[in-house]
Amino acid sequence: MSLIRIDLQFFSGEKTEKATPKKRQEARKKGQVAKSADVNTAITLFFMFLALLFFGRYMLDLMLSLFRTTFSEYLFIELNEENVHMLFQTLMYQSAKMVAPMFVVAVIAGLVSNYMQVGFMFSTEPLKMKLEKINPIQGFKRIYSLRALVELLKSILKITFVGFVTFLVLYFQFDELLTLPQMSVGDAFVFLANLTLQMGLFASGALLFIAVLDYVYQKYDFEKNIRMSKQDIKDEFKKTEGDPLIKSRIKQKQREMAMQRMMEEVPKADVVITNPTHFAIAIKYDEEKLDAPFVVAKGTDFLAQKIKEIAHKHDVVLVENKPLARALYDQTEIGDVIPEHFFKAVAEIIAYVYRLKQKV
């Protein structure tokens, strides 16, 4: 038996269950999400080279204009305290205009790539200072771990695959590369710019393909790391829903309080309709509260006997009517008005009770 108990404890502690929504939310608050840094790099590179394709002419014109102005005007300016500041501002403004398209595209690409993976998330947990982050033993474990080996293989795969793609681009342009010495400076510059752009686009596309595979792996690894054991799920349920034993005690206490309030209403009833041994329904008619009689207490078996005892003590009339008592118990709740099809029967009983009290 002890061996069976140990085995059950072992399997209950094994993390085989998917993470609950609460566990995922807690992990997200700590900044732990399925995310691939390669996706950010690949998307940013791809859009940067696309930006060069669309804004390259604009940037080239600005750069050539800046060079012309610098060599034709700024080199001949006599520097002093006043024009140094002006010259610095002018150069900074021209440089900012030149790199602005690339900067904006890089920021947008970075934000989009992050949002695609994790949505909107803000967490300061990774920024907190923790001693374990500078623990050499933990660092050694991270360096020589399975995850480090996987990252090494990923890096080798990226270098190999991206290098092969860029080599293919150069290979298909090899004939034109051989004619490069025969080109003019301008034509050579245009050819190299186009070649660089092609290599960048194809390389970033290849990297994006690898990044997608890496994201799938990161998703799998994240799901594996946040798995829970059956005992973890039970403990979480206790924390969120409360201990079942405590909840049952609370419910029992609530039932006791409700029963006590119900018993306090029995002395105020006009009549208690009974099925001698099994049912008791206390009814009251108050014109100021409701237009029809309503149920103030009801019960079966032991509770029915308790209602009848209290009714006896407070001189509440008991009227035996087996079918009416059973029907009222089944079709009404405490505080409910008597159903319309019982009005006549209940009205006759209340009228009987009123006549009986007048005689007394």
Side-chain angles (χ1 to χ4, degrees):
M1 291 295 291
S2 61
L3 289 175
I4 294 173
R5 190 178 297 111
I6 291 172
D7 288 339
L8 289 174
Q9 289 177 352
F10 173 78
F11 285 114
S12 65
E14 193 174 3
K15 298 185 182 297
T16 58
E17 307 301 314
K18 288 185 177 181
T20 60
K22 186 174 185 298
K23 172 81 172 185
R24 294 177 186 278
Q25 186 177 6
E26 289 176 352
R28 188 177 178 84
K29 287 181 179 179
K30 295 178 182 178
Q32 298 173 0
V33 289
K35 179 184 175 183
S36 170
D38 291 339
V39 172
N40 295 352
T41 304
I43 291 178
T44 302
L45 277 176
F46 184 75
F47 279 98
M48 289 282 282
F49 281 107
L50 276 181
L52 279 174
L53 180 63
F54 289 102
F55 298 106
R57 174 58 61 181
Y58 165 79
M59 295 173 65
L60 178 61
D61 292 341
L62 284 178
M63 184 173 63
L64 292 176
S65 174
L66 180 61
F67 285 163
R68 290 192 194 99
T69 307
T70 300
F71 290 113
S72 63
E73 298 179 16
Y74 297 154
L75 287 179
F76 301 101
I77 295 177
E78 185 177 349
L79 297 178
N80 52 49
E81 294 181 0
E82 296 179 357
N83 59 20
V84 164
H85 182 66
M86 179 273 296
L87 184 61
F88 178 76
Q89 282 186 330
T90 303
L91 291 174
M92 287 297 295
Y93 175 71
Q94 295 295 330
S95 301
K97 280 178 63 178
M98 187 167 56
V99 300
M102 303 297 294
F103 177 78
V104 172
V105 169
V107 171
I108 293 175
L111 292 175
V112 169
S113 59
N114 273 286
Y115 187 80
M116 286 170 57
Q117 295 186 82
V118 301
F120 179 77
M121 184 182 69
F122 179 78
S123 175
T124 58
E125 188 69 23
L127 302 177
K128 290 183 178 179
M129 183 63 184
K130 295 181 180 179
L131 293 178
E132 62 184 24
K133 291 182 179 180
I134 58 175
N135 187 343
I137 298 176
Q138 294 294 331
F140 184 82
K141 288 180 179 179
R142 284 194 294 269
I143 294 172
Y144 297 96
S145 63
L146 178 62
R147 187 175 183 85
L149 179 61
V150 172
E151 293 296 326
L152 175 63
L153 294 175
K154 278 169 45 184
S155 299
I156 295 174
L157 177 63
K158 284 189 289 186
I159 293 172
T160 305
F161 189 61
V162 173
F164 177 72
V165 170
T166 52
F167 170 77
L168 287 179
V169 174
L170 288 173
Y171 178 78
F172 286 114
Q173 300 283 343
F174 187 71
D175 292 337
E176 294 187 31
L177 275 172
L178 293 177
T179 63
L180 191 61
Q182 302 173 6
M183 296 181 186
S184 64
V185 175
D187 292 338
F189 180 80
V190 172
F191 172 75
L192 290 176
N194 289 331
L195 183 61
T196 303
L197 188 60
Q198 290 180 31
M199 291 173 62
L201 286 173
F202 278 100
S204 57
L207 187 60
L208 185 60
F209 174 75
I210 296 176
V212 172
L213 299 180
D214 180 59
Y215 177 75
V216 174
Y217 167 75
Q218 296 294 342
K219 188 81 173 175
Y220 163 78
D221 188 58
F222 174 73
E223 293 292 334
K224 182 181 177 182
N225 289 333
I226 64 171
R227 280 180 187 170
M228 303 173 69
S229 64
K230 288 181 169 51
Q231 186 61 42
D232 291 336
I233 294 176
K234 290 180 181 178
D235 293 341
E236 182 185 288
F237 178 79
K238 286 182 180 180
K239 290 179 181 178
T240 55
E241 301 294 331
D243 194 321
L245 181 60
I246 296 175
K247 287 182 68 178
S248 63
R249 289 180 179 175
I250 292 174
K251 288 182 178 179
Q252 182 181 356
K253 189 67 177 178
Q254 289 173 341
R255 286 194 295 269
E256 291 175 357
M257 293 173 64
M259 187 180 298
Q260 184 178 356
R261 287 195 299 268
M262 184 180 71
M263 292 304 178
E264 291 174 354
E265 295 295 322
V266 174
K268 304 174 185 177
D270 294 321
V271 62
V272 176
I273 302 174
T274 68
N275 174 346
T277 56
H278 296 294
F279 297 93
I281 294 90
I283 295 175
K284 180 176 179 60
Y285 177 58
D286 189 345
E287 295 181 358
E288 296 180 358
K289 289 185 177 181
L290 295 169
D291 295 334
F294 58 94
V295 178
V296 295
K298 71 172 191 175
T300 60
D301 299 329
F302 173 78
L303 189 56
Q305 298 301 323
K306 191 70 176 176
I307 291 173
K308 289 191 286 186
E309 287 178 12
I310 296 174
H312 274 300
K313 289 181 182 179
H314 295 85
D315 297 325
V316 178
V317 178
L318 277 71
V319 176
E320 181 181 331
N321 189 322
K322 295 180 181 180
L324 182 60
R326 178 62 183 266
L328 287 174
Y329 183 85
D330 291 338
Q331 299 182 34
T332 61
E333 297 294 335
I334 297 171
D336 288 354
V337 173
I338 300 299
E340 189 174 350
H341 51 278
F342 293 130
F343 277 0
K344 183 177 179 182
V346 173
E348 291 176 353
I349 292 174
I350 292 178
Y352 164 74
V353 171
Y354 284 171
R355 289 196 300 270
L356 188 64
K357 287 182 177 180
Q358 288 176 357
K359 290 180 181 180
V360 176

